[in-house]
Amino acid sequence: MCDCIFCKIVKGDIPSPRLYEDENFIVIRDINPLCKVHDLIITKKHIKSVNEIEKDDEKIFASLFTVAKKIAAMENMSESGYRVVVNSGKDSGQAVPHFHAHVLGGEDLKGKLQGM
Ligand code: 5GP
Ligand code: ZN
């Protein structure tokens, strides 16, 4: 059995309200928000990090930034701005080994969250 927390959320084994869902991604709010808006775009497929993305996965990631743009619009950040962050591997501080992109904003982030 897969012991991955994000796989459990994707499968619905751990309930987590979805802001958005399509064939490749779900989007949920981060459980420990680092700023006013902190959402996570999570692949439905278990891919450990950017480093494990295979050629075949390119079709999944083609829409990643348009999903981020949709989330920014839903969260009213299109005009004010936002940050999209992907940690990959040990030195980045990646804590959950299942691909996710952070979408952060809702406040002025200049000079903030540099160590996330
Ligand atoms: P990473 O450091 O891997 O880039 O970020 C992992 C993020 O996932 C963290 O911001 C953490 O708060 C969030 N997170 C970890 N477990 C859960 C969970 O069970 N539910 C939600 N919504 N977020 C989680
Ligand atoms: Zn997983």
Side-chain angles (χ1 to χ4, degrees), residues 65-106:
F65 285 103
T66 50
V67 172
K69 179 180 161 179
K70 278 187 194 127
I71 296 307
M74 285 169 58
E75 299 281 23
N76 295 310
M77 305 190 296
S78 303
E79 297 304 318
S80 52
Y82 51 95
R83 193 176 287 161
V84 182
V85 174
V86 178
N87 291 318
S88 190
K90 183 169 64 68
D91 280 359
S92 75
Q94 183 184 9
V96 179
H98 177 131
F99 181 93
H100 54 281
H102 301 255
V103 181
L104 303 138

Side-chain angles (χ1 to χ4, degrees), residues 2-8 10 42-48 96-99:
C2 178
D3 206 29
C4 169
I5 185 111
F6 284 176
C7 281
K8 287 178 182 164
V10 166
I42 300 173
T43 49
K44 286 190 169 175
K45 180 177 176 185
H46 181 82
I47 297 169
K48 278 191 192 142
V96 179
H98 177 131
F99 181 93

